[in-house]
Amino acid sequence: MVPHLITALTGPINELEARILDSMPAIERWFRLEWMEHTPPFYCSVDLRNAGFKLAPVDTELFPSSFNHLTPEMLPLAVQAAMAAIEKICPEAKNLLLVPDNDTGSSFYRANLQCLVQVFTQAGLNVRLGSLDPAVTAPTTLPLPDGESLTLEPLLRTPRRLGLKDFDPCTILLNCDLANGTPAVLENLHEQYLLPPLHAGWGVRRKSRHFESYEEVAKKFAKLLGMDPWLINPMFGRCGEVSFGDASGLDCVQANVDAMLTKVRRKYKEYGINEKPFVIVKADNGSGGAGLMTVRDAKDLADADGLARMRERLGTVRGGEAVTEVIIQEGVPTYERVNDAVAEPVVYMIDRYVVGGFYRVHAERGIDENLSAPGARYVPLAFSESHQLPKPGAKPGALAPNRFYMYGVIGRLAMLAASYELEATDPDAEVYD
């Protein structure tokens, strides 16, 4: 199933697809060489936007929490990738401690945990769940939508290790994004592998740092293919001292919005794109789709109504943290449709491998709006059979394998950018003058 594009502006994207397919051997070699120098995140998901004239990542999550939306046919790929990841990190691993988000009330999130337990169990590990919630003081049963259940247990911390009662893991896998900071129980674990690392959490991580790294990756990749990096890269700016309470720093937001709209108009003119540009103002430490606003004109931020909208949509992120830093990102419309509803592809990866994905679909949202909102539904991508079997020479846009391969390439570029980002922000990295 390939959703259709409703725009006629497919020239550049068709050319990009053809170029990527024709360059497949060079692309795969390039990725191999990059992974010789850089360590991929343990797992991640990437939200993409296909505008018909450009294809770009708009968000990269290092604690992906929707594995339940992958089809059963995709699970063998996930198991193989998990095996490869574990063998690199801790070949003798026997026990894996999975630490979920404190909010386990959602049946969808519990199904995500169930899928992760299944993947890592089939990868040859004993998997148990340990909770960061201090209210969990005894084993707690979490019922699942299919009638099965999971057991959530209280964490047991010793001076140098973290585990559960009668369970000492080699590896600890976090599935919580640490938006409210780093819990003390996770600090100073020097004898165990903690994945992803603590500086990947939203308490430390910044979207602007990620997209700075992605810009570097996109330029390298574009040079390899001999193309304009803008076709795969969303431009961005940043404001680092903003208060939506007293409106301080909002002049920086207005100026950056205006400058970004001007840059996008220039690019649209260069490519003959007859579209009205927009930007997305996001919390720089945002998570869970919170802290986000679409802006089409900088003047919309100048009046009291504009300030009220910003306070409502950008004042806090998930977890109640106040927003003091924002990223102003070029808006990439999505012209993908599934049953006439707006859709965007999401690519899931473990280690350096694409393991699947889905379309996030929202019937009540527009092409320039955030789709990660109540009312969204999920339609699986057919990565399981086709993402590594594209067919060069076919008419661009006509075959699912070709489009999915292109999605996987852009997703892997974002994953590579995340590895650059984590290396640059590693507090334990050695610095040489």
Side-chain angles (χ1 to χ4, degrees):
M1 185 274 299
V2 182
H4 60 281
L5 291 169
I6 63 163
T7 175
L9 298 170
T10 55
I13 205 73
N14 282 345
E15 180 185 340
L16 174 63
E17 180 180 309
R19 189 168 298 194
I20 284 177
L21 291 169
D22 290 343
S23 305
M24 186 165 46
I27 289 171
E28 296 305 323
R29 178 178 182 273
W30 183 81
F31 273 120
R32 283 197 304 272
L33 294 176
E34 286 289 330
W35 294 129
M36 289 175 67
E37 300 292 331
H38 305 281
T39 302
F42 187 81
Y43 58 2
C44 71
S45 65
V46 179
D47 296 355
L48 303 178
R49 286 278 178 134
N50 186 353
F53 53 84
K54 76 182 291 179
L55 174 66
V58 294
D59 203 14
T60 301
E61 178 58 66
L62 299 181
F63 301 86
S65 59
S66 293
F67 278 90
N68 54 304
H69 296 308
L70 306 185
T71 64
E73 292 78 17
M74 297 176 186
L75 293 182
L77 285 175
V79 171
Q80 289 178 328
M83 286 179 173
I86 292 293
E87 285 170 8
K88 280 196 311 187
I89 295 162
C90 185
E92 71 278 9
K94 181 173 67 172
N95 297 332
L96 175 76
L97 175 61
L98 177 59
V99 180
D101 193 274
N102 280 350
D103 184 8
T104 56
S106 163
S107 62
F108 292 107
Y109 183 65
R110 292 181 184 185
N112 162 73
L113 295 176
Q114 180 186 31
C115 185
L116 285 171
V117 169
Q118 180 182 358
V119 166
F120 289 101
T121 298
Q122 293 185 0
L125 296 166
N126 300 313
V127 185
R128 285 165 66 176
L129 273 62
S131 177
L132 289 167
D133 187 350
V136 177
T137 58
T140 302
T141 299
L142 301 178
L144 295 166
D146 64 0
E148 299 292 322
S149 65
L150 294 172
T151 300
L152 187 63
E153 302 177 65
L155 292 171
L156 179 63
R157 176 64 195 256
T158 62
R160 301 182 64 86
R161 297 181 72 85
L162 180 66
L164 308 173
K165 183 180 179 182
D166 301 322
F167 188 78
D168 184 32
C170 162
T171 304
I172 301 162
L173 179 61
L174 301 179
N175 197 239
C176 50
D177 63 16
L178 306 180
N180 294 324
T182 303
V185 73
L186 297 178
E187 294 179 338
N188 301 312
L189 293 172
H190 303 302
E191 295 181 354
Q192 293 164 295
Y193 294 95
L194 184 64
L195 304 167
L198 294 179
H199 64 283
W202 281 123
V204 178
R205 189 176 177 231
R206 296 294 179 266
K207 291 179 185 284
S208 56
R209 184 68 189 80
H210 173 74
F211 283 103
E212 182 180 328
S213 296
Y214 182 79
E215 185 174 40
E216 180 183 352
V217 168
K219 286 178 179 178
K220 288 183 179 181
F221 184 79
K223 184 177 180 180
L224 174 73
L225 267 63
M227 68 180 201
D228 182 354
W230 177 75
L231 294 173
I232 58 171
N233 180 39
M235 298 182 289
F236 75 95
R238 178 181 179 273
C239 291
E241 296 182 10
V242 178
S243 171
F244 294 100
D246 60 14
S248 62
L250 298 190
D251 54 339
C252 174
V253 178
Q254 278 185 269
N256 271 274
V257 166
D258 195 44
M260 183 57 63
L261 288 170
T262 299
K263 289 179 183 178
V264 178
R265 287 189 197 100
R266 194 176 299 131
K267 275 295 183 182
Y268 281 13
K269 183 177 180 181
E270 177 184 343
Y271 282 92
I273 298 166
N274 187 25
E275 293 279 326
K276 184 177 177 62
F278 65 98
V279 301
I280 301 294
V281 182
K282 302 178 182 180
D284 208 4
N285 63 331
S287 69
L292 185 151
M293 180 178 177
T294 301
V295 183
R296 299 170 185 84
D297 192 322
K299 294 178 183 177
D300 294 342
L301 306 179
D303 57 19
D305 288 343
L307 178 58
R309 283 195 301 273
M310 283 193 286
R311 281 176 178 158
E312 178 187 356
R313 300 182 188 183
L314 295 167
T316 59
V317 292
R318 190 167 69 92
E321 291 293 304
V323 173
T324 58
E325 305 165 79
V326 297
I327 177 174
I328 296 90
Q329 189 177 63
E330 172 192 357
V332 182
T334 178
Y335 284 106
E336 301 270 20
R337 289 289 188 278
V338 172
N339 297 329
D340 293 326
V342 176
E344 63 184 9
V346 183
V347 178
Y348 266 59
M349 289 158 283
I350 296 176
D351 195 60
R352 58 191 178 96
Y353 304 102
V354 174
V355 299
F358 51 82
Y359 287 101
R360 183 182 290 117
V361 183
H362 206 302
E364 298 176 5
R365 292 292 175 112
I367 61 173
D368 57 357
E369 294 183 292
N370 174 34
L371 304 187
S372 181
R377 60 189 182 88
Y378 304 89
V379 177
L381 287 164
F383 274 129
S384 57
E385 297 177 359
S386 63
H387 85 282
Q388 291 292 356
L389 298 173
K391 298 180 180 180
K395 182 180 177 182
L399 294 176
N402 291 357
R403 184 179 295 181
F404 295 159
Y405 177 74
M406 185 167 64
Y407 290 164
V409 167
I410 304 303
R412 285 185 288 165
L413 291 177
M415 176 172 56
L416 179 58
S419 73
Y420 281 33
E421 170 197 359
L422 292 178
E423 289 165 10
T425 57
D426 185 353
D428 297 322
E430 296 184 18
V431 179
Y432 300 95
D433 294 327

